[in-house]
Amino acid sequence: MYVAVKGGEAAIENAHDWLAEARRGERSVPELEVAQIKEQLKIACDRVMGEGSCYDPALAALAIKQARGDLVEAAFLLRAYRTTLPRFGYTEPVVTADMLAQRRVSATYKDLPGGQVLGPTFDYTHRLLDFKLLAEGEVPRPEPTPAASADGRLPPVTDILAREGLIQDEPPGDDSAPVGDLTREPLLFPADRDLRLQNLARGDEGFLLGLGYASQRGFGATHPFVGEIRMGDVTVAFVPEELGFPVDLGEIELTECQMVNQFQGSDTAPPQFTRGYGLVFGHAERRAMAMALVDRALRTNELGQDVTAPSQDQEFVLMHSDNVQATGFVEHLKLPHYVDFQGELSMLRSLRTAWQETKA
Amino acid sequence: MGVLARASAPELEALWRAHGAGAALAPLRPAETGLVMVRGRAGGTGQRFNLGEMTVTRCAVEGPGGVIGHGYVKGRDKRHAELAAAFDALLQDEARRPALLAAVIDPLAAAQAQRRATVAAKAATTKVEFFTLVRGE
């Protein structure tokens, strides 16, 4: 129970002034520009866009600066901002097969059409601190790249398996049916895959990573292979009501993960690989992989298996994945609970008195 | 409209000064920033789902002869949406269209194709070439 408390305005104002001063840090060090955060802390911006569920790199960078690098706080700021804007509508589904891929790797096929394209990756770095960066040297500009015949479009790896019927077809879904939207209606259970994917796409990276890891270690055993990870730009098309035909709004960067999981067969269908899917804003590979693991785990019921682990439990996963909600409920504990606590205190005192009387 | 949306506001501003200035345009709907919900498909091809929102700015202007020019662009740059709408209005004028396509749209589209090609070429330099090691007795 909360009761209005008055007072403290001066203290709050002073605390916020100090926060601004602390945000600025040591004055002899140049102040960070939002553009620098956007360009040089891109992965952090991508995470904030994902968890804030709003694609706008400059706003994500601003939120990170304002939040002093607290990425959960920054996602919160972005979520709050989005509530101030009107919604124009829903886009056409993005076509990830047409992505201008900067990166595309597969752990299932060595030689695949289009090849293994590493792109800008931390993989194969030695994870040694690079003291050259400490010396503030400028990175040399790479040599002009040779012309290549590739147009950047790479055929999806899952198509190779699908051609032989070795992997479950992705149920096409009914394009005339409404698509669930968590920003418009509360989550109810059981939740369909559209709502689950929306929830996971904006879920906390650490939470999804922990659940995905647990599912690999045996709590909800899946035996997955990375069919494909791809990262790059896709075109977003939107049909404005007044025009009635799709208009390209531009490109956004996405990371997609197709996880290939162990077989499923029945009396009516031969054994086939099953799928888990991850799709997230920006360059966020760990997040896309974790999402794909958890998506597959949450399909346990529909694939006729028993729910035995937290990662397979819809309510456990979907109700606790959102870090804006989670931080709100956890952090509200520090708000004044004086009256609640006084109630508990007097109850405890009377229990102790009663206990002592029985002992007397 | 896609080419105009992909161009940058400074690019369009320069092209407007050269090829659009002086055109009779009346504002119809002032530039407004909002959101669209981006959709994906499960597995890339399956059931549709809502991935997350993105910022979009739109604008409408009335051009010569009562045609309506629309601008829809990613992000929050109002000037970008205004210029996209202005060019869209002029491009609907049959008399101006061929010259504008040649002077504005084609060069922008070529520059955008060049940027895509640069990314594709850069990605191609990180393509792994595998060698199979044969062990002899």
Side-chain angles (χ1 to χ4, degrees):
Chain A
M1 174 183 163
Y2 311 107
V3 209
V5 185
K6 278 190 154 191
E9 289 91 342
I12 290 169
E13 199 170 307
N14 290 338
H16 289 172
D17 287 347
W18 196 359
L19 172 68
E21 188 189 335
R23 175 189 299 122
R24 174 61 185 86
E26 170 56 45
R27 298 270 166 171
S28 63
V29 177
E31 186 178 353
L32 257 183
E33 288 171 24
V34 169
Q36 290 174 323
I37 298 172
K38 176 173 157 273
E39 296 301 323
Q40 296 172 38
L41 296 179
K42 178 179 177 303
I43 306 278
C45 294
D46 289 347
R47 180 167 180 179
V48 169
M49 292 195 299
E51 291 170 1
S53 198
C54 183
Y55 193 98
D56 190 315
L59 285 182
L62 170 62
I64 290 168
K65 177 171 176 171
Q66 187 176 333
R68 307 177 66 195
D70 180 338
L71 301 187
V72 175
E73 179 77 13
F76 196 163
L77 291 170
L78 208 51
R79 289 268 186 102
Y81 171 79
R82 70 159 280 283
T83 64
T84 66
L85 295 179
R87 167 83 71 79
F88 295 161
Y90 295 85
T91 73
E92 301 288 288
V94 291
V95 183
T96 52
D98 289 343
M99 177 183 282
L100 171 61
Q102 295 172 45
R103 171 168 169 78
R104 195 283 297 270
V105 292
S106 169
T108 53
Y109 291 102
K110 176 165 66 75
D111 298 307
L112 70 168
Q116 307 271 358
V117 178
L118 299 182
T121 180
F122 290 124
D123 295 354
Y124 314 109
T125 62
H126 294 126
R127 268 71 184 212
L128 300 172
L129 279 175
D130 181 357
F131 288 96
K132 287 203 295 288
L133 294 173
L134 195 59
E136 293 177 28
E138 189 63 64
V139 179
R141 287 180 79 90
E143 296 288 305
T145 46
S149 57
D151 65 353
R153 192 186 179 283
L154 300 166
V157 169
T158 40
D159 287 0
I160 301 170
L161 289 166
R163 235 173 279 144
E164 285 188 67
L166 293 174
I167 193 164
Q168 286 188 323
D169 275 337
E170 199 57 68
D174 176 2
D175 273 6
S176 60
V179 182
D181 187 352
L182 293 174
T183 67
R184 292 294 152 104
E185 65 257 6
L187 188 57
L188 298 173
F189 297 99
D192 278 344
R193 189 141 178 241
D194 53 350
L195 284 169
R196 303 199 306 253
L197 288 170
Q198 182 181 10
N199 178 288
L200 296 177
R202 60 193 227 157
D204 181 74
E205 181 168 318
F207 182 76
L208 298 180
L209 179 67
L211 283 174
Y213 180 42
S215 81
Q216 277 181 282
R217 285 195 64 256
F219 290 83
T222 56
H223 193 314
F225 296 92
V226 170
E228 176 178 289
I229 291 170
R230 57 170 64 204
M231 181 276 290
D233 283 357
V234 299
T235 298
V236 181
F238 173 66
V239 181
E241 234 173 83
E242 65 273 26
L243 291 177
F245 58 85
V247 172
D248 286 354
L249 302 174
E251 271 76 40
I252 61 173
E253 191 180 80
L254 298 178
T255 305
E256 181 186 53
C257 175
Q258 299 271 9
M259 207 64 95
V260 175
N261 294 263
Q262 232 161 26
F263 335 115
Q264 172 79 17
S266 69
D267 292 345
T268 52
Q272 285 180 313
F273 286 118
T274 57
R275 294 170 184 254
Y277 187 63
L279 184 66
V280 295
F281 284 153
H283 186 182
E285 204 158 295
R286 186 186 304 119
R287 183 177 178 74
M289 293 178 75
M291 175 175 171
L293 287 172
V294 178
D295 171 49
R296 172 59 186 82
L298 290 176
R299 300 183 69 197
T300 300
N301 258 337
E302 86 191 56
L303 297 173
Q305 296 159 329
D306 290 333
V307 171
T308 57
S311 62
Q312 301 167 327
D313 182 327
Q314 283 199 9
E315 189 168 348
F316 182 85
V317 174
L318 302 178
M319 289 303 286
H320 304 127
S321 61
D322 191 302
N323 60 21
V324 176
Q325 275 174 16
T327 201
F329 201 53
V330 168
E331 293 202 45
H332 102 282
L333 292 175
K334 67 194 171 186
L335 296 175
H337 283 68
Y338 308 135
V339 175
D340 267 359
F341 189 69
Q342 285 303 320
E344 298 248 330
L345 212 51
S346 84
M347 164 84 88
L348 180 63
R349 288 211 170 98
S350 65
L351 287 170
R352 286 170 65 93
T353 309
W355 184 81
Q356 270 151 3
E357 276 164 8
T358 62
K359 298 286 165 192
Chain B
M1 287 175 79
V3 171
L4 293 168
R6 283 183 192 93
S8 71
E11 273 177 323
L12 291 186
E13 195 78 70
L15 288 165
W16 183 256
R17 273 197 299 271
H19 305 285
L25 296 174
L28 208 59
R29 179 166 65 194
E32 172 193 27
T33 297
L35 297 166
V36 293
M37 175 59 90
V38 180
R39 281 190 168 155
R41 285 186 183 278
T45 54
Q47 184 185 3
R48 299 176 302 165
F49 71 97
N50 292 312
L51 173 63
E53 290 164 315
M54 68 185 272
T55 52
V56 171
T57 303
R58 68 182 176 187
C59 177
V61 298
E62 192 176 329
V67 297
I68 299 172
H70 291 277
Y72 270 88
V73 302
K74 175 183 83 167
R76 286 167 295 113
D77 191 331
K78 291 191 170 158
R79 187 63 186 147
H80 187 180
E82 285 167 7
L83 289 165
F87 274 119
D88 184 52
L90 296 194
L91 280 160
Q92 292 175 60
D93 179 354
E94 294 300 333
R96 300 186 81 145
R97 189 180 164 85
L100 280 176
L101 283 178
V104 177
I105 302 298
D106 295 347
L108 285 175
Q112 288 161 16
Q114 184 56 46
R115 283 201 284 271
R116 284 181 67 89
T118 304
V119 172
K122 224 171 188 168
T125 63
T126 68
K127 190 160 139 183
V128 178
E129 304 293 347
F130 283 103
F131 301 98
T132 308
L133 301 178
V134 182
R135 290 171 113 194
E137 286 300 312

